[in-house]
Amino acid sequence: MDSLTRLIPPPPEPLDARGDWSAVERGLGVRLPEDYKALVGTYGWGEFCDFLHLRTPFGDSPYNGLEWQSGDPSAPPRWDGQERYPYPLHPEPGGLLIWGTTMDADRLCWPTAGDPRSWPVVIWSRDGDYETIPESASGFLEGWSGARLRSHLLGGMEPDLAPWFTTYHPRTNRCLRLSEGPLPHLERLRILRDALAPTADRGTWRAEDGRSGQDHFATVAGDWQLTYDMAGPHQIRVAYPPHDHERARRDLTAAVHRMGCDILAICMADGTPLTAWGLPTDDCG
């Protein structure tokens, strides 16, 4: 935990991080690792590096919580190059208990046999493959985020990015379709990020021909998440807390003007068109 918090600063107000652990353990019929309890109390419900999703047993969201009724337990285990993992699901003896997932719908589990302090992390992929990582939950998160460990089932952390944690909370989503404008893409990107500074990198992608790509970044102070698509189509996608709605409208409209572009259309994340920015509670999820 100390290494993890040095690597990735926790949020000031973790979400769904507090509750009655005794009641949780009675309901599950097992004791949970103290390491995991500290992890939940420190970070709460959210995701590491937009890839590893940490679940907590608290709160009332149907998308949160520890799981053991997920996937197809009858699916045969597959060979991982070393040994088979014929794990049942909890509450069967030693069954898998899911404490996290990935963006690719893989599941992060414990095999619930023996002392909880010795439970490793089992990656149960969406394709039915298994891999055991001899780390605690926080050790696994620190190792993957800091590129200390590798998994043959999971992709690695993108090089040259400082790892981060994002708390789940309601966000308003907007997509701004833009005209091309006279400036090259990198100059438009610089103007956009300067207008929202300070910002932090969240990754970049470019097509082989260099004609299309995406730049992902986040605002440091306001916790806005942005993707700038350079082509196909040329647009800005942003997710921000609803209370920042008017500021987002004002700042992004001004930034687009300085980029030399026009806003051709505005829509919500699902593509629903808007005649203007709409209400802050529209498309809030």
Side-chain angles (χ1 to χ4, degrees), residues 2 12 26 83 124 129 210 242:
D2 289 343
R26 284 195 303 271
E83 59 181 305
W124 176 14
D129 297 311

Side-chain angles (χ1 to χ4, degrees), residues 5-235:
T5 55
R6 285 195 297 269
L7 179 67
I8 304 177
E13 298 181 6
L15 178 67
D16 293 345
R18 303 287 186 271
D20 188 341
W21 284 106
S22 296
V24 170
E25 291 173 325
R26 284 195 303 271
L28 292 171
V30 294
R31 289 189 299 115
L32 296 173
E34 294 300 318
D35 163 87
Y36 169 72
K37 297 177 186 178
L39 185 64
V40 167
T42 302
Y43 288 94
W45 185 31
E47 60 187 9
F48 289 84
C49 309
D50 292 345
F51 186 71
L52 300 177
H53 305 258
L54 174 64
R55 295 184 172 191
T56 84
F58 307 121
D60 55 9
S61 171
Y63 304 106
N64 198 9
L66 300 175
E67 274 193 53
W68 61 94
Q69 303 289 338
S70 179
D72 181 6
S74 65
R78 300 189 182 184
W79 182 250
D80 77 342
Q82 296 182 347
E83 59 181 305
R84 283 184 173 274
Y85 293 92
Y87 287 121
L89 290 177
H90 182 77
E92 293 297 319
L96 294 179
L97 183 61
I98 301 167
W99 57 269
T101 56
T102 75
M103 183 179 66
D104 295 330
D106 310 300
R107 288 147 289 194
L108 308 176
C109 317
W110 296 297
T112 53
D115 190 333
R117 291 175 296 182
S118 65
W119 289 353
V121 172
V122 172
I123 302 170
W124 176 14
S125 81
R126 63 179 178 181
D127 297 320
D129 297 311
Y130 295 83
E131 180 182 15
T132 297
I133 307 293
E135 296 273 359
S136 66
S138 63
F140 170 77
L141 293 170
E142 184 272 337
W144 184 89
S145 300
R148 177 177 59 79
L149 61 81
R150 293 288 186 269
S151 162
H152 71 266
L153 293 181
L154 305 182
M157 175 69 178
E158 187 170 338
D160 303 322
L161 282 184
W164 67 93
F165 180 82
T166 303
T167 297
Y168 287 132
H169 53 67
R171 295 178 186 272
T172 296
N173 295 271
R174 291 292 179 267
C175 178
L176 311 180
R177 190 72 57 85
L178 307 179
S179 65
E180 187 62 25
L183 300 176
H185 173 75
L186 289 180
E187 180 64 12
R188 295 194 304 255
L189 175 63
R190 183 195 64 77
I191 292 171
L192 175 61
R193 293 191 62 163
D194 283 351
L196 304 177
T199 63
D201 289 333
R202 294 294 186 256
T204 297
W205 169 82
R206 290 289 183 273
E208 290 185 3
D209 61 9
R211 296 179 181 178
S212 61
Q214 298 175 334
D215 294 278
H216 307 279
F217 62 97
T219 63
V220 173
D223 193 23
W224 301 359
Q225 299 175 348
L226 296 102
T227 295
Y228 182 30
D229 294 286
M230 62 187 297
H234 180 211
Q235 61 187 6

Side-chain angles (χ1 to χ4, degrees), residues 237-269:
R237 289 176 281 161
V238 59
Y240 52 86
H243 61 76
D244 279 346
H245 183 72
E246 182 57 30
R247 181 182 172 190
R249 183 199 63 77
R250 182 187 68 241
D251 290 359
L252 283 169
T253 300
V256 169
H257 178 74
R258 289 198 291 273
M259 292 161 65
C261 304
D262 295 319
I263 298 177
L264 303 178
I266 303 173
C267 66
M268 298 190 293

